[in-house]
Amino acid sequence: MNDTPTPPEPDATPRPEPRARTPLPAGYREGIITAITVIIGFSLSFVRYWAFEAPGDWTARSVVALVALLIPIAAEIYTLYRALLVEDDDEATYRTTVKWFIGSVCGMLVSVSLAAIVLSGRP
């Protein structure tokens, strides 16, 4: 009996080379952070109007519209969080952040349209 532990076998699968980090050109991060904060400002202003200033009573449809407004706002805040991370200076990470931003803006467009339909009183 041999009491010395045997070293583990080396892994035969080759490991991929780490991807080279590509920094963003100057001004890209600042630009998207500004765009995100402008959209968040609009979104929060619209929700304030929708919740406190719009005429009419609350209905099930208006609650659905409010929830539909809050989901893109949460996505916008998450996008701002991503944009403020140090890792977002990498081109690949930045692309994902831009996709989140475009998705949240499209979601806000749909939810504002839904809110306008509910506010108009049409079925």
Side-chain angles (χ1 to χ4, degrees), residues 21-38 78-98 101:
R21 186 178 171 279
T22 309
L24 292 175
Y28 273 58
R29 285 189 71 201
E30 294 83 355
I32 196 165
I33 290 170
T34 302
I36 293 167
T37 55
V38 167
Y78 176 71
T79 304
L80 180 60
Y81 165 75
R82 284 186 57 91
L84 292 172
L85 290 174
V86 174
E87 294 85 16
D88 202 54
D89 191 37
D90 180 38
E91 198 173 284
T93 308
Y94 178 81
R95 281 192 178 109
T96 304
T97 302
V98 170
F101 178 57

Side-chain angles (χ1 to χ4, degrees), residues 39-40 42-44 46-47 49-51 61-76 102-120:
I39 295 297
I40 288 175
F42 162 77
S43 302
L44 294 175
F46 186 81
V47 167
Y49 165 76
W50 178 255
R61 289 174 36 165
S62 60
V63 171
V64 169
L66 179 63
V67 170
L69 288 166
L70 294 177
I71 292 170
I73 290 174
E76 292 165 5
I102 298 301
S104 65
V105 169
C106 291
M108 184 53 70
L109 178 65
V110 169
S111 62
V112 166
S113 299
L114 176 65
I117 291 168
V118 169
L119 187 60
S120 73

